[in-house]
mmCIF file of all heavy atoms in Angstrom:
data_model
loop_
_atom_site.group_PDB
_atom_site.id
_atom_site.type_symbol
_atom_site.label_atom_id
_atom_site.label_comp_id
_atom_site.label_asym_id
_atom_site.label_seq_id
_atom_site.Cartn_x
_atom_site.Cartn_y
_atom_site.Cartn_z
ATOM 1 N N LEU U 7 15.535 -12.673 -10.919
ATOM 2 C CA LEU U 7 15.071 -11.716 -11.806
ATOM 3 C C LEU U 7 14.743 -12.206 -13.216
ATOM 4 O O LEU U 7 13.864 -11.954 -13.842
ATOM 5 C CB LEU U 7 15.905 -10.489 -11.818
ATOM 6 C CG LEU U 7 16.040 -9.626 -10.605
ATOM 7 C CD1 LEU U 7 17.210 -8.627 -10.636
ATOM 8 C CD2 LEU U 7 14.737 -8.925 -10.335
ATOM 9 N N LYS U 8 15.663 -13.066 -13.643
ATOM 10 C CA LYS U 8 15.671 -13.569 -14.969
ATOM 11 C C LYS U 8 14.503 -14.629 -15.122
ATOM 12 O O LYS U 8 13.726 -14.658 -16.116
ATOM 13 C CB LYS U 8 16.931 -14.243 -15.484
ATOM 14 C CG LYS U 8 18.060 -13.274 -15.752
ATOM 15 C CD LYS U 8 19.262 -13.901 -16.267
ATOM 16 C CE LYS U 8 20.250 -12.846 -16.587
ATOM 17 N NZ LYS U 8 21.482 -13.283 -17.247
ATOM 18 N N LEU U 9 14.206 -15.399 -14.033
ATOM 19 C CA LEU U 9 13.089 -16.312 -14.143
ATOM 20 C C LEU U 9 11.853 -15.515 -14.142
ATOM 21 O O LEU U 9 10.787 -15.993 -14.800
ATOM 22 C CB LEU U 9 13.104 -17.141 -12.841
ATOM 23 C CG LEU U 9 14.178 -18.293 -12.817
ATOM 24 C CD1 LEU U 9 14.242 -18.902 -11.444
ATOM 25 C CD2 LEU U 9 13.892 -19.300 -13.917
ATOM 26 N N LYS U 10 11.775 -14.432 -13.643
ATOM 27 C CA LYS U 10 10.647 -13.548 -13.612
ATOM 28 C C LYS U 10 10.489 -12.696 -14.927
ATOM 29 O O LYS U 10 9.461 -12.044 -15.144
ATOM 30 C CB LYS U 10 10.616 -12.530 -12.395
ATOM 31 C CG LYS U 10 10.436 -13.228 -11.017
ATOM 32 C CD LYS U 10 8.971 -13.578 -10.727
ATOM 33 C CE LYS U 10 8.864 -14.013 -9.312
ATOM 34 N NZ LYS U 10 7.446 -14.251 -8.957
ATOM 35 N N GLY U 11 11.483 -12.589 -15.701
ATOM 36 C CA GLY U 11 11.599 -11.792 -16.986
ATOM 37 C C GLY U 11 11.702 -10.386 -16.632
ATOM 38 O O GLY U 11 11.145 -9.587 -17.392
ATOM 39 N N ILE U 12 12.362 -9.949 -15.611
ATOM 40 C CA ILE U 12 12.448 -8.591 -15.113
ATOM 41 C C ILE U 12 13.842 -8.023 -15.585
ATOM 42 O O ILE U 12 14.888 -8.531 -15.370
ATOM 43 C CB ILE U 12 12.430 -8.360 -13.622
ATOM 44 C CG1 ILE U 12 11.043 -8.943 -13.041
ATOM 45 C CG2 ILE U 12 12.596 -7.025 -13.175
ATOM 46 C CD1 ILE U 12 10.971 -9.254 -11.568
ATOM 47 N N GLU U 13 13.790 -6.823 -16.371
ATOM 48 C CA GLU U 13 14.923 -6.191 -16.792
ATOM 49 C C GLU U 13 15.602 -5.483 -15.628
ATOM 50 O O GLU U 13 14.946 -4.971 -14.733
ATOM 51 C CB GLU U 13 14.702 -5.214 -17.901
ATOM 52 C CG GLU U 13 14.092 -5.919 -19.211
ATOM 53 C CD GLU U 13 13.949 -4.983 -20.372
ATOM 54 O OE1 GLU U 13 14.264 -3.721 -20.106
ATOM 55 O OE2 GLU U 13 13.546 -5.472 -21.443
ATOM 56 N N TYR U 14 16.960 -5.376 -15.607
ATOM 57 C CA TYR U 14 17.607 -4.747 -14.492
ATOM 58 C C TYR U 14 18.912 -4.209 -14.928
ATOM 59 O O TYR U 14 19.476 -4.674 -16.006
ATOM 60 C CB TYR U 14 17.854 -5.751 -13.353
ATOM 61 C CG TYR U 14 18.675 -6.987 -13.698
ATOM 62 C CD1 TYR U 14 20.017 -6.968 -13.540
ATOM 63 C CD2 TYR U 14 18.052 -8.105 -14.256
ATOM 64 C CE1 TYR U 14 20.735 -8.149 -13.939
ATOM 65 C CE2 TYR U 14 18.724 -9.221 -14.578
ATOM 66 C CZ TYR U 14 20.188 -9.251 -14.397
ATOM 67 O OH TYR U 14 20.880 -10.222 -14.771
ATOM 68 N N GLU U 15 19.475 -3.327 -14.212
ATOM 69 C CA GLU U 15 20.825 -2.845 -14.432
ATOM 70 C C GLU U 15 21.749 -3.386 -13.416
ATOM 71 O O GLU U 15 21.398 -3.435 -12.174
ATOM 72 C CB GLU U 15 20.867 -1.164 -14.288
ATOM 73 C CG GLU U 15 22.195 -0.598 -14.476
ATOM 74 C CD GLU U 15 22.213 0.924 -14.098
ATOM 75 O OE1 GLU U 15 21.061 1.498 -14.099
ATOM 76 O OE2 GLU U 15 23.298 1.444 -13.967
ATOM 77 N N TYR U 16 22.953 -3.821 -13.900
ATOM 78 C CA TYR U 16 23.895 -4.458 -12.939
ATOM 79 C C TYR U 16 24.972 -3.437 -12.681
ATOM 80 O O TYR U 16 25.604 -2.967 -13.631
ATOM 81 C CB TYR U 16 24.457 -5.757 -13.542
ATOM 82 C CG TYR U 16 25.134 -6.733 -12.615
ATOM 83 C CD1 TYR U 16 24.434 -7.707 -11.934
ATOM 84 C CD2 TYR U 16 26.463 -6.345 -12.266
ATOM 85 C CE1 TYR U 16 25.135 -8.512 -11.089
ATOM 86 C CE2 TYR U 16 27.111 -7.307 -11.379
ATOM 87 C CZ TYR U 16 26.378 -8.221 -10.777
ATOM 88 O OH TYR U 16 27.011 -9.068 -9.828
ATOM 89 N N ILE U 17 25.263 -3.230 -11.389
ATOM 90 C CA ILE U 17 26.205 -2.272 -10.975
ATOM 91 C C ILE U 17 27.385 -3.117 -10.346
ATOM 92 O O ILE U 17 27.098 -3.748 -9.195
ATOM 93 C CB ILE U 17 25.680 -1.211 -9.950
ATOM 94 C CG1 ILE U 17 24.598 -0.445 -10.660
ATOM 95 C CG2 ILE U 17 26.834 -0.338 -9.463
ATOM 96 C CD1 ILE U 17 23.897 0.477 -9.627
ATOM 97 N N VAL U 18 28.534 -3.172 -10.912
ATOM 98 C CA VAL U 18 29.580 -4.006 -10.420
ATOM 99 C C VAL U 18 30.261 -3.324 -9.210
ATOM 100 O O VAL U 18 30.706 -2.122 -9.336
ATOM 101 C CB VAL U 18 30.641 -4.323 -11.580
ATOM 102 C CG1 VAL U 18 31.826 -5.059 -10.942
ATOM 103 C CG2 VAL U 18 30.029 -5.071 -12.624
ATOM 104 N N GLU U 19 30.423 -4.008 -8.090
ATOM 105 C CA GLU U 19 31.049 -3.311 -6.975
ATOM 106 C C GLU U 19 32.427 -3.829 -6.742
ATOM 107 O O GLU U 19 32.746 -5.045 -6.915
ATOM 108 C CB GLU U 19 30.111 -3.798 -5.678
ATOM 109 C CG GLU U 19 30.571 -3.112 -4.394
ATOM 110 C CD GLU U 19 30.536 -1.683 -4.326
ATOM 111 O OE1 GLU U 19 29.545 -1.140 -4.967
ATOM 112 O OE2 GLU U 19 31.315 -1.076 -3.635
ATOM 113 N N ASP U 20 33.405 -2.932 -6.374
ATOM 114 C CA ASP U 20 34.675 -3.166 -6.095
ATOM 115 C C ASP U 20 34.708 -3.437 -4.611
ATOM 116 O O ASP U 20 34.769 -2.425 -3.874
ATOM 117 C CB ASP U 20 35.644 -2.135 -6.432
ATOM 118 C CG ASP U 20 37.111 -2.501 -6.200
ATOM 119 O OD1 ASP U 20 37.370 -3.517 -5.565
ATOM 120 O OD2 ASP U 20 38.004 -1.734 -6.498
ATOM 121 N N LEU U 21 34.864 -4.689 -4.118
ATOM 122 C CA LEU U 21 34.720 -4.930 -2.612
ATOM 123 C C LEU U 21 36.040 -4.451 -1.920
ATOM 124 O O LEU U 21 35.974 -4.405 -0.645
ATOM 125 C CB LEU U 21 34.457 -6.309 -2.429
ATOM 126 C CG LEU U 21 33.153 -6.829 -2.884
ATOM 127 C CD1 LEU U 21 33.025 -8.363 -2.777
ATOM 128 C CD2 LEU U 21 31.994 -6.166 -2.268
ATOM 129 N N ARG U 22 37.003 -4.175 -2.598
ATOM 130 C CA ARG U 22 38.284 -3.697 -2.007
ATOM 131 C C ARG U 22 38.235 -2.128 -1.755
ATOM 132 O O ARG U 22 38.940 -1.623 -1.085
ATOM 133 C CB ARG U 22 39.482 -4.069 -2.842
ATOM 134 C CG ARG U 22 39.801 -5.594 -2.871
ATOM 135 C CD ARG U 22 40.864 -5.889 -3.878
ATOM 136 N NE ARG U 22 40.432 -5.556 -5.242
ATOM 137 C CZ ARG U 22 41.046 -5.745 -6.442
ATOM 138 N NH1 ARG U 22 42.217 -6.255 -6.407
ATOM 139 N NH2 ARG U 22 40.512 -5.388 -7.550
ATOM 140 N N ASN U 23 37.349 -1.528 -2.399
ATOM 141 C CA ASN U 23 37.170 -0.061 -2.331
ATOM 142 C C ASN U 23 35.656 0.222 -2.512
ATOM 143 O O ASN U 23 35.129 0.633 -3.616
ATOM 144 C CB ASN U 23 37.916 0.576 -3.473
ATOM 145 C CG ASN U 23 37.809 2.138 -3.406
ATOM 146 O OD1 ASN U 23 37.532 2.682 -2.379
ATOM 147 N ND2 ASN U 23 38.026 2.812 -4.562
ATOM 148 N N LYS U 24 34.871 0.023 -1.495
ATOM 149 C CA LYS U 24 33.427 -0.004 -1.487
ATOM 150 C C LYS U 24 32.934 1.440 -1.829
ATOM 151 O O LYS U 24 33.393 2.389 -1.307
ATOM 152 C CB LYS U 24 32.845 -0.463 -0.143
ATOM 153 C CG LYS U 24 33.227 -1.978 0.108
ATOM 154 C CD LYS U 24 32.695 -2.426 1.376
ATOM 155 C CE LYS U 24 33.044 -3.878 1.698
ATOM 156 N NZ LYS U 24 32.514 -4.468 2.919
ATOM 157 N N SER U 25 31.876 1.327 -2.800
ATOM 158 C CA SER U 25 31.326 2.601 -3.255
ATOM 159 C C SER U 25 30.378 3.288 -2.236
ATOM 160 O O SER U 25 30.040 2.674 -1.275
ATOM 161 C CB SER U 25 30.559 2.314 -4.543
ATOM 162 O OG SER U 25 29.387 1.603 -4.225
ATOM 163 N N GLU U 26 30.247 4.640 -2.455
ATOM 164 C CA GLU U 26 29.313 5.346 -1.573
ATOM 165 C C GLU U 26 27.821 4.781 -1.711
ATOM 166 O O GLU U 26 27.131 4.794 -0.733
ATOM 167 C CB GLU U 26 29.269 6.810 -1.950
ATOM 168 C CG GLU U 26 30.491 7.514 -1.490
ATOM 169 C CD GLU U 26 30.734 7.533 0.066
ATOM 170 O OE1 GLU U 26 29.745 7.654 0.753
ATOM 171 O OE2 GLU U 26 31.859 7.366 0.494
ATOM 172 N N LEU U 27 27.538 4.314 -3.065
ATOM 173 C CA LEU U 27 26.241 3.731 -3.231
ATOM 174 C C LEU U 27 26.065 2.478 -2.427
ATOM 175 O O LEU U 27 24.937 2.278 -1.682
ATOM 176 C CB LEU U 27 26.110 3.419 -4.691
ATOM 177 C CG LEU U 27 24.785 2.784 -5.087
ATOM 178 C CD1 LEU U 27 23.592 3.714 -4.784
ATOM 179 C CD2 LEU U 27 24.756 2.365 -6.557
ATOM 180 N N LEU U 28 26.924 1.644 -2.316
ATOM 181 C CA LEU U 28 26.884 0.399 -1.504
ATOM 182 C C LEU U 28 26.742 0.779 0.035
ATOM 183 O O LEU U 28 25.960 0.251 0.717
ATOM 184 C CB LEU U 28 28.049 -0.474 -1.640
ATOM 185 C CG LEU U 28 28.099 -1.766 -0.771
ATOM 186 C CD1 LEU U 28 26.822 -2.660 -1.054
ATOM 187 C CD2 LEU U 28 29.347 -2.620 -0.962
ATOM 188 N N LEU U 29 27.587 1.647 0.435
ATOM 189 C CA LEU U 29 27.564 2.004 1.983
ATOM 190 C C LEU U 29 26.381 2.674 2.242
ATOM 191 O O LEU U 29 25.774 2.652 3.442
ATOM 192 C CB LEU U 29 28.843 3.015 2.240
ATOM 193 C CG LEU U 29 30.137 2.329 2.009
ATOM 194 C CD1 LEU U 29 31.233 3.341 2.203
ATOM 195 C CD2 LEU U 29 30.416 1.021 2.849
ATOM 196 N N LYS U 30 25.787 3.376 1.315
ATOM 197 C CA LYS U 30 24.476 4.109 1.615
ATOM 198 C C LYS U 30 23.347 3.104 1.571
ATOM 199 O O LYS U 30 22.294 3.210 2.385
ATOM 200 C CB LYS U 30 24.197 5.181 0.621
ATOM 201 C CG LYS U 30 22.878 5.927 0.721
ATOM 202 C CD LYS U 30 22.699 6.942 -0.400
ATOM 203 C CE LYS U 30 21.250 7.520 -0.473
ATOM 204 N NZ LYS U 30 21.106 8.463 -1.529
ATOM 205 N N SER U 31 23.435 2.172 0.631
ATOM 206 C CA SER U 31 22.255 1.264 0.451
ATOM 207 C C SER U 31 22.221 0.094 1.480
ATOM 208 O O SER U 31 21.202 -0.388 1.788
ATOM 209 C CB SER U 31 22.432 0.586 -1.041
ATOM 210 O OG SER U 31 22.384 1.574 -2.024
ATOM 211 N N ASN U 32 23.452 -0.292 2.047
ATOM 212 C CA ASN U 32 23.448 -1.324 2.959
ATOM 213 C C ASN U 32 24.473 -0.762 4.110
ATOM 214 O O ASN U 32 25.638 -1.429 4.281
ATOM 215 C CB ASN U 32 23.980 -2.629 2.329
ATOM 216 C CG ASN U 32 23.832 -3.794 3.385
ATOM 217 O OD1 ASN U 32 23.442 -3.686 4.533
ATOM 218 N ND2 ASN U 32 24.309 -4.997 2.905
ATOM 219 N N PRO U 33 24.080 0.166 4.923
ATOM 220 C CA PRO U 33 24.942 0.674 6.037
ATOM 221 C C PRO U 33 25.201 -0.241 7.109
ATOM 222 O O PRO U 33 26.197 -0.047 7.800
ATOM 223 C CB PRO U 33 24.109 2.056 6.397
ATOM 224 C CG PRO U 33 22.686 1.579 6.086
ATOM 225 C CD PRO U 33 22.770 0.800 4.846
ATOM 226 N N VAL U 34 24.398 -1.169 7.256
ATOM 227 C CA VAL U 34 24.550 -2.147 8.377
ATOM 228 C C VAL U 34 25.633 -3.097 8.083
ATOM 229 O O VAL U 34 26.602 -3.261 8.951
ATOM 230 C CB VAL U 34 23.240 -2.949 8.737
ATOM 231 C CG1 VAL U 34 23.425 -3.855 9.820
ATOM 232 C CG2 VAL U 34 22.208 -1.852 9.155
ATOM 233 N N TYR U 35 25.544 -3.883 7.027
ATOM 234 C CA TYR U 35 26.467 -4.912 6.770
ATOM 235 C C TYR U 35 27.541 -4.515 5.738
ATOM 236 O O TYR U 35 28.674 -5.140 5.660
ATOM 237 C CB TYR U 35 25.867 -6.220 6.279
ATOM 238 C CG TYR U 35 25.073 -6.842 7.358
ATOM 239 C CD1 TYR U 35 23.572 -6.984 7.261
ATOM 240 C CD2 TYR U 35 25.583 -7.397 8.526
ATOM 241 C CE1 TYR U 35 22.865 -7.513 8.268
ATOM 242 C CE2 TYR U 35 24.880 -8.050 9.553
ATOM 243 C CZ TYR U 35 23.513 -8.036 9.377
ATOM 244 O OH TYR U 35 22.779 -8.568 10.389
ATOM 245 N N LYS U 36 27.220 -3.558 4.886
ATOM 246 C CA LYS U 36 28.078 -2.963 3.872
ATOM 247 C C LYS U 36 28.633 -4.054 2.975
ATOM 248 O O LYS U 36 29.735 -4.115 2.585
ATOM 249 C CB LYS U 36 29.339 -2.358 4.605
ATOM 250 C CG LYS U 36 29.044 -1.239 5.544
ATOM 251 C CD LYS U 36 30.216 -0.585 6.181
ATOM 252 C CE LYS U 36 29.941 0.520 7.044
ATOM 253 N NZ LYS U 36 29.071 0.123 8.246
ATOM 254 N N LYS U 37 27.670 -5.003 2.537
ATOM 255 C CA LYS U 37 28.103 -6.129 1.557
ATOM 256 C C LYS U 37 27.016 -6.202 0.465
ATOM 257 O O LYS U 37 25.952 -5.682 0.647
ATOM 258 C CB LYS U 37 28.250 -7.379 2.399
ATOM 259 C CG LYS U 37 27.061 -7.882 3.001
ATOM 260 C CD LYS U 37 27.373 -9.169 3.894
ATOM 261 C CE LYS U 37 26.119 -9.665 4.405
ATOM 262 N NZ LYS U 37 26.320 -10.995 5.172
ATOM 263 N N ILE U 38 27.446 -7.040 -0.456
ATOM 264 C CA ILE U 38 26.598 -7.218 -1.616
ATOM 265 C C ILE U 38 25.844 -8.660 -1.378
ATOM 266 O O ILE U 38 26.354 -9.513 -0.544
ATOM 267 C CB ILE U 38 27.418 -7.328 -2.920
ATOM 268 C CG1 ILE U 38 28.502 -8.345 -2.852
ATOM 269 C CG2 ILE U 38 27.905 -5.923 -3.234
ATOM 270 C CD1 ILE U 38 29.288 -8.596 -4.076
ATOM 271 N N PRO U 39 24.800 -8.869 -2.101
ATOM 272 C CA PRO U 39 24.123 -7.986 -3.186
ATOM 273 C C PRO U 39 23.186 -7.058 -2.408
ATOM 274 O O PRO U 39 22.718 -7.347 -1.188
ATOM 275 C CB PRO U 39 23.433 -9.022 -3.978
ATOM 276 C CG PRO U 39 23.048 -10.085 -3.052
ATOM 277 C CD PRO U 39 24.142 -10.290 -2.071
ATOM 278 N N VAL U 40 22.871 -5.980 -3.202
ATOM 279 C CA VAL U 40 21.736 -5.167 -2.743
ATOM 280 C C VAL U 40 20.844 -4.889 -4.007
ATOM 281 O O VAL U 40 21.301 -4.782 -5.118
ATOM 282 C CB VAL U 40 22.323 -3.826 -2.291
ATOM 283 C CG1 VAL U 40 21.026 -2.863 -2.023
ATOM 284 C CG2 VAL U 40 23.124 -3.891 -1.114
ATOM 285 N N LEU U 41 19.551 -5.056 -3.837
ATOM 286 C CA LEU U 41 18.593 -4.791 -4.843
ATOM 287 C C LEU U 41 18.032 -3.454 -4.697
ATOM 288 O O LEU U 41 17.627 -3.103 -3.589
ATOM 289 C CB LEU U 41 17.465 -5.811 -4.910
ATOM 290 C CG LEU U 41 16.345 -5.608 -5.893
ATOM 291 C CD1 LEU U 41 16.900 -6.180 -7.222
ATOM 292 C CD2 LEU U 41 15.023 -6.287 -5.541
ATOM 293 N N LEU U 42 18.018 -2.636 -5.720
ATOM 294 C CA LEU U 42 17.413 -1.327 -5.622
ATOM 295 C C LEU U 42 16.258 -1.288 -6.500
ATOM 296 O O LEU U 42 16.287 -1.578 -7.721
ATOM 297 C CB LEU U 42 18.407 -0.296 -6.177
ATOM 298 C CG LEU U 42 19.752 -0.047 -5.329
ATOM 299 C CD1 LEU U 42 20.721 0.873 -6.105
ATOM 300 C CD2 LEU U 42 19.462 0.399 -3.871
ATOM 301 N N HIS U 43 15.099 -1.078 -5.970
ATOM 302 C CA HIS U 43 13.855 -1.071 -6.778
ATOM 303 C C HIS U 43 13.222 0.344 -6.445
ATOM 304 O O HIS U 43 12.730 0.589 -5.288
ATOM 305 C CB HIS U 43 12.914 -2.192 -6.213
ATOM 306 C CG HIS U 43 11.634 -2.204 -6.964
ATOM 307 N ND1 HIS U 43 10.474 -2.706 -6.354
ATOM 308 C CD2 HIS U 43 11.288 -1.871 -8.284
ATOM 309 C CE1 HIS U 43 9.499 -2.531 -7.248
ATOM 310 N NE2 HIS U 43 9.944 -2.113 -8.374
ATOM 311 N N ASN U 44 13.115 1.176 -7.482
ATOM 312 C CA ASN U 44 12.572 2.449 -7.383
ATOM 313 C C ASN U 44 13.280 3.199 -6.165
ATOM 314 O O ASN U 44 12.641 3.825 -5.337
ATOM 315 C CB ASN U 44 11.123 2.500 -7.129
ATOM 316 C CG ASN U 44 10.362 2.093 -8.325
ATOM 317 O OD1 ASN U 44 10.828 2.336 -9.492
ATOM 318 N ND2 ASN U 44 9.270 1.486 -8.216
ATOM 319 N N ASP U 45 14.615 3.046 -6.063
ATOM 320 C CA ASP U 45 15.537 3.681 -5.048
ATOM 321 C C ASP U 45 15.310 2.970 -3.564
ATOM 322 O O ASP U 45 15.831 3.703 -2.664
ATOM 323 C CB ASP U 45 15.265 5.245 -5.005
ATOM 324 C CG ASP U 45 15.732 5.858 -6.303
ATOM 325 O OD1 ASP U 45 16.707 5.319 -6.860
ATOM 326 O OD2 ASP U 45 15.097 6.784 -6.724
ATOM 327 N N LYS U 46 14.526 2.096 -3.479
ATOM 328 C CA LYS U 46 14.348 1.333 -2.238
ATOM 329 C C LYS U 46 15.416 0.197 -2.241
ATOM 330 O O LYS U 46 15.498 -0.492 -3.136
ATOM 331 C CB LYS U 46 13.024 0.792 -1.978
ATOM 332 C CG LYS U 46 11.984 1.908 -1.904
ATOM 333 C CD LYS U 46 10.537 1.263 -1.582
ATOM 334 C CE LYS U 46 10.060 0.422 -2.795
ATOM 335 N NZ LYS U 46 8.654 -0.133 -2.626
ATOM 336 N N ALA U 47 16.217 0.144 -1.166
ATOM 337 C CA ALA U 47 17.256 -0.837 -1.005
ATOM 338 C C ALA U 47 16.849 -2.030 -0.208
ATOM 339 O O ALA U 47 16.315 -1.952 0.906
ATOM 340 C CB ALA U 47 18.542 -0.269 -0.447
ATOM 341 N N ILE U 48 17.068 -3.215 -0.827
ATOM 342 C CA ILE U 48 16.872 -4.489 -0.036
ATOM 343 C C ILE U 48 18.155 -5.293 -0.049
ATOM 344 O O ILE U 48 18.764 -5.462 -1.045
ATOM 345 C CB ILE U 48 15.721 -5.364 -0.706
ATOM 346 C CG1 ILE U 48 14.442 -4.438 -0.836
ATOM 347 C CG2 ILE U 48 15.358 -6.590 0.057
ATOM 348 C CD1 ILE U 48 14.223 -3.794 -2.137
ATOM 349 N N SER U 49 18.494 -5.804 1.038
ATOM 350 C CA SER U 49 19.781 -6.515 1.257
ATOM 351 C C SER U 49 19.494 -7.983 1.700
ATOM 352 O O SER U 49 18.446 -8.348 2.146
ATOM 353 C CB SER U 49 20.662 -5.880 2.348
ATOM 354 O OG SER U 49 20.940 -4.530 2.088
ATOM 355 N N GLU U 50 20.589 -8.863 1.562
ATOM 356 C CA GLU U 50 20.546 -10.225 1.925
ATOM 357 C C GLU U 50 19.834 -11.028 0.807
ATOM 358 O O GLU U 50 18.625 -10.861 0.572
ATOM 359 C CB GLU U 50 19.898 -10.550 3.268
ATOM 360 C CG GLU U 50 20.548 -9.913 4.490
ATOM 361 C CD GLU U 50 22.057 -10.354 4.540
ATOM 362 O OE1 GLU U 50 22.226 -11.587 4.519
ATOM 363 O OE2 GLU U 50 22.922 -9.507 4.766
ATOM 364 N N SER U 51 20.593 -11.903 0.080
ATOM 365 C CA SER U 51 20.034 -12.528 -1.131
ATOM 366 C C SER U 51 18.839 -13.223 -0.960
ATOM 367 O O SER U 51 17.948 -13.090 -1.832
ATOM 368 C CB SER U 51 21.165 -13.419 -1.704
ATOM 369 O OG SER U 51 21.536 -14.466 -0.884
ATOM 370 N N LEU U 52 18.637 -14.068 0.050
ATOM 371 C CA LEU U 52 17.414 -14.885 0.183
ATOM 372 C C LEU U 52 16.294 -13.911 0.436
ATOM 373 O O LEU U 52 15.076 -14.189 -0.011
ATOM 374 C CB LEU U 52 17.529 -15.821 1.330
ATOM 375 C CG LEU U 52 18.628 -16.983 1.027
ATOM 376 C CD1 LEU U 52 18.626 -17.863 2.249
ATOM 377 C CD2 LEU U 52 18.201 -17.721 -0.206
#
């Protein structure tokens, strides 16, 4: 994102107590990172 010059909001996740947002955004693997772009969720860093 920084190489592209894109502004973003960073949401820190507590992996010991996973948030509803993470579970909703990545219901299959339930892990980070997740990118939210206009409320569309994309998982897996690569």
Side-chain angles (χ1 to χ4, degrees):
L7 290 171
K8 288 186 175 184
L9 287 171
K10 292 282 189 177
I12 301 165
E13 294 185 2
Y14 60 92
E15 177 185 344
Y16 196 92
I17 302 172
V18 178
E19 181 66 29
D20 181 358
L21 296 176
R22 294 168 297 182
N23 183 26
K24 296 180 180 180
S25 68
E26 287 298 320
L27 179 60
L28 175 62
L29 299 177
K30 177 184 176 183
S31 302
N32 189 0
V34 177
Y35 293 113
K36 304 177 177 63
K37 63 181 184 179
I38 57 171
V40 176
L41 181 78
L42 298 175
H43 180 212
N44 291 332
D45 295 324
K46 295 182 294 186
I48 303 95
S49 304
E50 301 297 315
S51 62
L52 294 177

